[in-house]
Amino acid sequence: MTKNSTIPTEQLTIVADIYLYFDGLFELDDIDSDTLFASSYLRGLISLVATEFGDESQAISADLIDGVTEKIILAKTELAPQDYAIVNNFWLAMQKNITFK
């Protein structure tokens, strides 16, 4: 991940990689509140779904991705439209750097 990037530049292959990426966002000087909100919200959803498949050392699977995507769709009713768009767009951008083992 570059210093000013909010989207990872390295491939994410296990759940722990995602958590490390999220943790790294808080170290950036110029991170915006929308990114912090989206990453925190997604971390909670990923944690929830990941427990169904294993622990944080598990490989990221299509089932895990689908489960998080389903949770995001369900969250549409609890999030303001703008917040839903922020979370969903962040998730879609992150998926470009996820590699299945």
Side-chain angles (χ1 to χ4, degrees):
M1 180 173 57
T2 60
K3 177 83 170 121
N4 295 317
S5 174
T6 58
I7 301 301
T9 55
E10 69 277 352
Q11 293 298 303
L12 306 170
T13 57
I14 63 173
V15 173
D17 292 340
I18 295 174
Y19 295 156
L20 288 172
Y21 163 67
F22 288 154
D23 291 345
L25 291 175
F26 286 90
E27 297 172 9
L28 298 176
D29 294 331
D30 59 349
I31 196 73
D32 64 273
S33 60
D34 287 345
T35 300
L36 293 177
F37 165 72
S39 67
S40 295
Y41 196 88
L42 282 170
R43 184 183 192 120
L45 294 181
I46 291 166
S47 294
L48 180 66
V49 173
T51 60
E52 297 173 19
F53 301 102
D55 61 15
E56 66 183 31
S57 63
Q58 70 180 291
I60 299 170
S61 66
D63 288 339
L64 186 124
I65 298 296
D66 292 344
V68 172
T69 300
E70 288 176 22
K71 296 286 186 196
I72 292 170
I73 291 168
L74 292 173
K76 190 172 189 176
T77 60
E78 72 180 41
L79 292 172
Q82 181 180 358
D83 290 341
Y84 174 79
I86 290 166
V87 169
N88 191 53
N89 290 337
F90 191 86
W91 176 237
L92 292 172
M94 274 191 61
Q95 289 181 60
K96 295 175 185 173
N97 290 79
I98 292 175
T99 302
F100 299 115
K101 284 189 169 183

